[in-house]
Amino acid sequence: MRIPWWQTAVVYQIYPRSFADSDGDGVGDLAGVTARLDHLAWLGVDALWLSPIFRSPMADFGYDVSDYTDVDPVFGSLEDLDHLVAEAHARGIRVVLDWVPNHTSDQHPWFDASRSSREDPKRDWYVWRDGGGPDRPPNEWAAAFVEPARWTRDPATGELRRQPDATGGTDHTGTAWTWDEGTEQWYLHLFLPEQPDLDWSNPEVEAAMHDVLRFWLDRGIDGFRADVVHMIGKDVGEGLETMPQSDIGKGEAVHALLRRIRTLLDGYEGDRMMVGEVFLLDPAEMATFYGTRDELHLSFNFAPLFTRWRADRWRRRIEESERFVPPEVGWPTWVLSNHDTVRHADRYGSEARARAAAVLLLTLRGTPFLYAGEELGLFDAEVPVDRIVDPGGRDGCRAPIPWTRSSDHGWGPEPWLPFPPAPAEHSLEARRDDPRSILHLYRRLLAARRASPALHRGDVVLLDTPEGVLAYDRVAGDDVRRVVVNFTGEQVAVPDLLAGWWVEVDSGLDGERPAGSALGPDEALVLTRE
Ligand code: TEU
């Protein structure tokens, strides 16, 4: 059976503001990305996902789009994007754009028209309601970002933990409605007031958004990451005002919308792909967004982003992924870090754990998504209060990538955010010079994965282990790999798991691994048969 590229690919997420700066203005840009493509080819990734590069007033750093078919000048031009895509393709690397369908910027011409009068033909492109007049919003729904996410470090384990909240993802403390003085109605915004929600039950909205997809597909883009795509099917009819916010994403409407998007994408040559940001932490609900292989090609499984560094918890994540995304449903995804969450090296509290986690990420059954900088073992930057610019307080994981040891680390004099801790030591230059660095571990893992059908497409079989250890085999016909991960800070003897196997990749520092039958603290191994 022919396997589409996105099933065997490793996707690398670039947050363009923070990746590489070609013009010294302190903000990364497309020409900067193009100039670093050789690094990505050397590393061995198969696809890039660019966080939004469209025209935007940047209230949410690009997730508030004012023109879906043009590049924001801070990142360059359409020609710069065409050039980036051509150069990436020349290296066998595909390019995925970040499409933001749930909301536009309040500066988008569609919203300008919509808010201009109740009679405007685009009034119904957004969600307007009377509520109880200017003092009472239509319902209790809350917007994201009113308070930044809270994380606390567990003194015993060194791990960071996110404070749980009712919605399972976002701190909601302010109303999701803003009163418009001019037309005396409220408009809905599940994120900032600068991000009004579109009404996807309006066929004109759907058609306009399909045109956006076609614009990029015609230009040779390989796929899309669809921002909070589970939210586009809100029942915006009569039921909206009484619907609990936690029901967003659970109705039938979104599935019909996704089937039509899938048909659009599959009508193009070249396996164009959509990965949906389905921010529902229940894997059973998340999995419904694959439909019957007729909705999203891939759906982010975010439960691992909030999973502690414990063998039993990770085993449960793998069992859930296997149970809810079996082959007849679709192909799973794995992700440890992104632009919204404290980096996993920081969450787990050490580079040793980050290295072992990389082994998991790149050997589990599913498409892995790397977040730029994790291959350097970056921790979050400590951003002083007066330099915090993100309404969600997610600045730390968006720190600029340190490319060189030199004092500017390859950036202009003043990057938009401070660097991560110890930037010289974590720089690409330093990591490349050290064959034992985490960078070389990522590269070895990517090469091992590419070379082994078992690793990039085989079944996964969980094995019995002592407490604190996770082990599984990956199997594709005759090709077999074994992965063994020690989640404890102690050496653990696992003679039965290791007998008859050779070490192919070791997350630990080469040569320092306890010989023979034991795993070192927080050590992970990829094994091949003797
Ligand atoms: O994030 C979706 C989302 O639910 C986030 O609000 C998440 O809960 C929060 O960032 C965790 O701290 C997507 C994008 O990834 C994010 O960058 C955007 O700000 C958001 O949508 C709005 O477009």
Side-chain angles (χ1 to χ4, degrees), residues 6 15 23 204 218 269 282 286 301 314 331 372 406 487:
W6 42 264
Y15 194 71
D23 58 8
E204 292 175 15
D218 290 339
E269 295 280 305
D282 175 349
M286 178 279 293
N301 174 15
W314 270 90
W331 185 250
S406 60
F487 283 75

Side-chain angles (χ1 to χ4, degrees), residues 60 63 103 145 162 169-170 225 227-228 277 339-340 394:
D60 189 14
Y63 286 95
H103 43 266
F145 309 143
R162 196 174 204 278
T170 318
R225 177 265 191 190
D227 190 62
V228 288
E277 189 203 21
H339 66 294
D340 288 337
R394 299 160 294 183

Side-chain angles (χ1 to χ4, degrees), residues 13 15 49 51-52 60 62-64 98 100 102-103 144-145 148-149 151 162 168-172 190-192 195 225 227-228 230-231 277 279 302 306 338-341 390-394 398:
Q13 180 192 357
Y15 194 71
W49 144 33
S51 276
D60 189 14
Y63 286 95
D64 50 322
D98 204 321
V100 188
N102 178 68
H103 43 266
F145 309 143
W151 294 77
R162 196 174 204 278
T170 318
D171 293 292
H172 289 295
L190 292 169
F191 294 88
L192 297 171
Q195 294 167 296
R225 177 265 191 190
D227 190 62
V228 288
H230 60 294
M231 291 180 169
E277 189 203 21
F279 211 112
F302 276 165
F306 306 102
N338 64 28
H339 66 294
D340 288 337
T341 312
D390 175 49
R394 299 160 294 183
R398 299 175 178 182

